[in-house]
Amino acid sequence: MEMTLTVGSLLAELPKARLVQGDPSASVLAIEHDSRQVELGGLFVAIPGFSTDGHAYLGGAITRGASAVLVQDDHEGAWRTIPRSVAVIAVPDTRIALSRAAAWFYGHPSREMTVIGITGTDGKTTTSHILTAVLEAGRGVVGRLGTVDVYLPGEQGKVSNRMSTPE
């Protein structure tokens, strides 16, 4: 039995979140941080960036069918004119909230698997490739996501042409 994800259930996952307007029973059918990718019933997360601010694209996300938007408390002026039919969730930091919202939306997958993060200045890609080989040699099932490639079991050699880690 599939459970319908709602704005109200998302609020419970986001510390210090508040529903500024809208219906807490509104469904959330997808999550996007790129307003151009929003579809009907989606949640748009407005993230301030270095060169552009996602709050500038709230109107576009709503035009594309967003049923809810996740905005940052300190950008109140950007979302005060949103139609009353759209749920507005305000949080202290939308970048942090996006990761929590994605975990909620996808059923907290990291609770069912081991997740390893590799940090540092140099050698992360090499270390991740070596670690993948070691774990697979021990019959582990490994997926890898990095700035150089995305690796899924059985899809060896399929590398995306991007050089940044997706949100």
Side-chain angles (χ1 to χ4, degrees):
M1 179 175 159
E2 280 189 38
M3 195 170 104
T4 301
L5 299 173
T6 65
V7 168
S9 63
L10 174 58
L11 285 169
E13 298 280 331
L14 303 174
K16 299 183 182 176
R18 58 192 174 92
L19 183 61
V20 175
Q21 71 176 42
D23 183 357
S25 66
S27 295
V28 176
L29 305 178
I31 298 177
E32 290 292 344
H33 68 282
D34 181 337
S35 64
R36 299 167 296 188
Q37 302 299 316
V38 172
E39 295 181 5
L40 187 63
L43 168 72
F44 173 64
V45 182
I47 300 174
F50 292 111
S51 59
T52 189
D53 186 338
H55 293 84
Y57 302 98
L58 289 166
I62 293 165
T63 298
R64 286 178 182 79
S67 60
V69 295
L70 188 57
V71 297
Q72 212 159 274
D73 286 325
D74 62 355
H75 285 67
E76 186 173 342
W79 46 268
R80 278 292 176 198
T81 59
I82 290 177
R84 302 300 292 170
S85 61
V86 176
V88 177
I89 303 168
V91 295
D93 186 321
T94 52
R95 186 169 299 280
I96 292 171
L98 173 60
S99 66
R100 291 184 174 158
W104 161 81
F105 186 81
Y106 291 104
H108 298 280
S110 65
R111 292 178 181 168
E112 303 296 323
M113 64 179 83
T114 300
V115 178
I116 299 170
I118 302 170
T119 64
T121 305
D122 295 314
K124 294 180 294 296
T125 298
T126 301
T127 301
S128 70
H129 283 253
I130 292 170
L131 189 55
T132 297
V134 169
L135 293 170
E136 287 184 336
R139 301 199 187 272
V141 179
V142 179
R144 182 180 62 240
L145 170 66
T147 56
V148 174
D149 69 347
V150 173
Y151 169 81
L152 298 171
E155 296 189 23
Q156 189 169 1
K158 294 183 180 178
V159 178
S160 68
N161 291 328
R162 60 175 181 70
M163 290 298 285
S164 67
T165 305
E167 296 294 328

